[in-house]
Amino acid sequence: MHHGAGPQAPPGTEQRIGYYRFTDIFFEWHQALPNQEDVSPLKALIAYNALVHPDHPLRKPGVSGLELYRGTFASGEMRLLFSSAQVEYIRYWLHAMQLTKEPIPLPTSEYLIRQSDLEQCSPDVYSDAAVLKRAIKVIEKNNKRLKGADSILALRRLTFERVRTLWAAKLGTWCAMDFEAWDRDHTLLTEFGWKTVRWVDGEPVREHGHLVVQERRKYLQHYVPNHREFYNFGESEDVNKDQFSQRICDMVDEHRASGPLFLVFHGHSQDIKYLKSEAIKALDRTEILSDSPANGEVYVVDTAELFSALEGVSGGNMRSLESICRLLQIPTKYLHNAGNDAYYTLDAMVAMASGDPVDQQREQRWPNHTQDHKPEVTFQDWEEDSDFSDMEGIFGPGQAGQQPQADDDDVDL
């Protein structure tokens, strides 16, 4: 395992596939060992400083730290985990290096967590003992906060972690889409915008654009701004309504052909209806987001729901795209242009998906914003309100405190 320096796993070794809680291995395993002389070697090998050392036998080649796993149960509770293969290897390595007379016994089966017990499991890498210690404390603290949390929040948290895992795996194509329709008749589509990212040889390839339906240029909005002419990221393209639907169908078909397609929306229900409608006919169904997405299938990712998980709320009142971009420190202008909305929607998803796990990311973005041991974030007026933010530039935030700086993990695609 370790750069070829340690002993190789013995052929035919019986392995119970699953995971063990980090805390059970760290605090409990040595206490159950029948031979006292085996306790010290085990404790030395799994001490925090030893685990993150570059020469630790569990260190994989090409990984810049110890790879552990973060498992999420159906309740939303998380645990830091060793894989059963890692635990098997620890006992084998200690014996092969003649630090124990016999392979030490595995923890009893009651400690084993099977894959089927987990809703989600993703790798986490640690190269610093203090960071590893803190991660365990943060997980325990947030598990306490989630006691009694409702199932909607648990599902949103699970989805957040699943999206992080799939994004990190560089799978398929991620395509943010947005439609604009005439606000007097929502069956009359006037604009379509998109932004995509896919990977070729591990490198991201990005595209974006904005289509305007030629025949409907005379339809002006009455209840939202008329920003059709203000695409921020290039030239808008005029097409007739037949070309409009054909271009969208071709885009969906092209990306489905090369792997799973993740459609990213901010509030997905209306956009999905448009894609399935007689006017477009680009989709007949979508699949529930899974850990193992299939080639050719289409999955929906909703930034409004991801942000709700990050904010720690479960209500049906979702934040606007403008609101989440402000709170994620993503500058926007000329929203309600389909091309701009799609562009900012993908940026918002990437900012969340490329960050740390949900609870750590919440604390990094908005330190000390949760109260009463609950996961919900409480924002100040100046953080929430764009008018207040504009006035703040003149008068300062007053009693609200200093505005936090943009996070390093906000990614500009």
Side-chain angles (χ1 to χ4, degrees), residues 139-157:
I139 289 169
E140 286 178 359
K141 182 170 135 187
N142 285 298
N143 285 340
K144 285 177 187 169
R145 284 177 170 174
L146 281 169
K147 294 282 188 225
D150 61 52
S151 57
I152 293 174
L153 179 57
L155 182 61
R156 287 177 183 169
R157 288 168 56 84

Side-chain angles (χ1 to χ4, degrees), residues 382 385-398 403:
W382 61 266
D385 191 319
S386 58
D387 293 334
F388 200 111
S389 297
D390 293 341
M391 294 303 289
E392 176 204 343
I394 302 167
F395 299 111
Q403 187 167 355

Side-chain angles (χ1 to χ4, degrees), residues 10-46:
T13 300
E14 198 64 37
Q15 291 189 353
R16 292 181 290 177
I17 303 302
Y19 301 91
Y20 294 95
R21 286 178 175 86
F22 180 94
T23 48
D24 286 342
I25 296 301
F26 193 84
F27 295 112
E28 307 291 335
W29 192 13
H30 68 271
Q31 296 187 40
L33 295 182
N35 297 324
Q36 275 303 110
E37 62 268 26
D38 296 339
V39 170
S40 291
L42 174 61
K43 284 178 74 173
L45 189 62
I46 60 174

Side-chain angles (χ1 to χ4, degrees), residues 57-262:
L58 290 183
R59 179 75 70 101
K60 285 183 180 177
V63 177
S64 59
L66 170 71
E67 188 173 82
L68 295 172
Y69 300 86
R70 190 179 290 256
T72 306
F73 294 88
S75 63
E77 180 183 313
M78 284 187 181
R79 294 288 177 186
L80 199 62
L81 308 169
F82 283 104
S83 71
S84 57
Q86 288 175 313
V87 172
E88 291 271 10
Y89 193 76
I90 285 171
R91 63 195 285 266
Y92 170 71
W93 188 88
L94 286 169
H95 177 56
M97 300 301 285
Q98 301 183 346
L99 296 168
T100 61
K101 288 179 183 172
E102 299 294 333
I104 58 177
L106 284 165
T108 58
S109 59
E110 70 193 77
Y111 289 103
L112 185 71
I113 298 167
R114 300 193 180 277
Q115 186 74 48
S116 57
D117 298 329
L118 297 168
E119 294 290 324
Q120 165 75 8
C121 190
S122 55
D124 244 2
V125 174
Y126 295 91
S127 57
D128 182 287
V131 172
L132 176 55
K133 276 187 200 174
R134 190 162 61 248
I136 292 160
K137 285 182 182 171
V138 167
I139 289 169
E140 286 178 359
K141 182 170 135 187
N142 285 298
N143 285 340
K144 285 177 187 169
R145 284 177 170 174
L146 281 169
K147 294 282 188 225
D150 61 52
S151 57
I152 293 174
L153 179 57
L155 182 61
R156 287 177 183 169
R157 288 168 56 84
L158 171 63
T159 301
F160 191 100
E161 291 307 314
R162 191 162 280 161
V163 168
R164 283 182 64 251
T165 302
L166 294 170
W167 175 257
K170 300 182 178 180
L171 283 174
T173 300
W174 298 72
C175 178
M177 291 183 170
D178 185 64
F179 289 92
E180 291 292 320
W182 190 37
D183 55 12
R184 292 279 181 93
D185 180 352
H186 285 277
T187 65
L188 294 177
L189 296 172
T190 57
E191 302 171 55
F192 173 73
W194 73 95
K195 183 178 184 180
T196 63
V197 61
R198 58 192 173 86
W199 286 269
V200 175
D201 298 326
E203 294 301 314
V205 176
R206 305 172 182 108
E207 296 169 5
H208 55 85
H210 179 227
L211 302 181
V212 177
V213 180
Q214 230 164 343
E215 301 95 311
R216 294 179 184 149
R217 277 198 163 275
K218 63 181 182 292
Y219 292 101
L220 297 178
Q221 306 290 31
H222 293 79
Y223 306 110
V224 295
N226 284 288
H227 286 162
R228 187 185 304 160
E229 310 304 325
F230 297 98
Y231 181 47
N232 297 329
F233 304 103
E235 294 292 322
S236 301
E237 189 178 347
D238 276 24
V239 292
N240 66 40
K241 56 188 182 183
D242 292 334
Q243 292 170 323
F244 183 80
S245 58
Q246 191 60 53
R247 288 280 294 277
I248 296 166
C249 290
D250 290 348
M251 183 183 301
V252 170
D253 290 345
E254 177 195 343
H255 292 310
R256 287 178 78 166
S258 59
L261 172 58
F262 303 97

